[in-house]
């Protein structure tokens, strides 16, 4: 399993606590330094807005970029969970 696959799997299980957040930001920083195309591929797969990604990269400081990307990922994953919960109510068999 390569770094992208490991990160992709782990990012899907992020909890909103300081330890997970610092680990995720460290992994995002690693990808910023070693594999930007891979990072953008993950962001597209998670379906983070391209405009928001561009805004994050415009920050020009790696730590700020990584923190913003973390926030974008977490917000998008929470949004997906909310959508699933909302619409699964309408598709339940009773």
């Amino acid at each position: 399993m390569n770094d992208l696959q490991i990160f992709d799997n782990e990012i899907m299980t992020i909890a909103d606590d300081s330890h997970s957040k610092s680990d995720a930001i460290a992994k995002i920083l690693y990808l910023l330094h070693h594999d930007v195309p891979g990072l953008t591929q993950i962001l597209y797969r998670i379906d983070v807005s391209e405009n928001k990604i561009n805004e994050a990269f415009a920050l020009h400081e790696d730590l700020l970029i990584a923190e913003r990307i973390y926030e974008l990922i977490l917000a998008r994953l929470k949004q997906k969970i909310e959508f699933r919960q909302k619409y699964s109510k309408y598709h339940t068999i009773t």
Side-chain angles (χ1 to χ4, degrees):
M1 190 176 299
N2 66 33
D3 290 330
L4 288 177
Q5 291 168 322
I6 292 168
F7 178 76
D8 200 21
N9 290 337
E10 290 177 2
I11 202 67
M12 297 305 288
T13 59
I14 284 178
D16 198 8
D17 64 61
S18 61
H19 180 70
S20 294
K21 181 178 179 178
S22 62
D23 286 349
I25 289 172
K27 289 173 182 164
I28 293 167
L29 276 169
Y30 175 84
L31 291 172
L32 275 173
H33 294 150
H34 301 286
D35 191 3
V36 173
L39 177 59
T40 54
Q41 179 184 13
I42 290 170
L43 295 171
Y44 289 134
R45 190 171 33 228
I46 295 171
D47 196 27
V48 176
S49 162
E50 186 174 351
N51 290 335
K52 291 180 181 180
I53 294 169
N54 291 335
E55 289 172 7
F57 279 102
L59 296 172
H60 299 294
E61 187 179 320
D62 288 351
L63 183 57
L64 293 176
I65 294 168
E67 289 171 344
R68 182 65 184 133
I69 288 173
Y70 169 81
E71 293 167 1
L72 292 171
I73 291 169
L74 196 60
R76 182 63 181 129
L77 293 177
K78 286 179 180 179
Q79 184 182 43
K80 284 183 175 185
I81 290 168
E82 290 169 3
F83 284 153
R84 285 184 192 132
Q85 289 173 343
K86 180 179 178 180
Y87 292 108
S88 68
K89 293 177 188 176
Y90 300 108
H91 294 90
T92 348
I93 297 175
T94 56

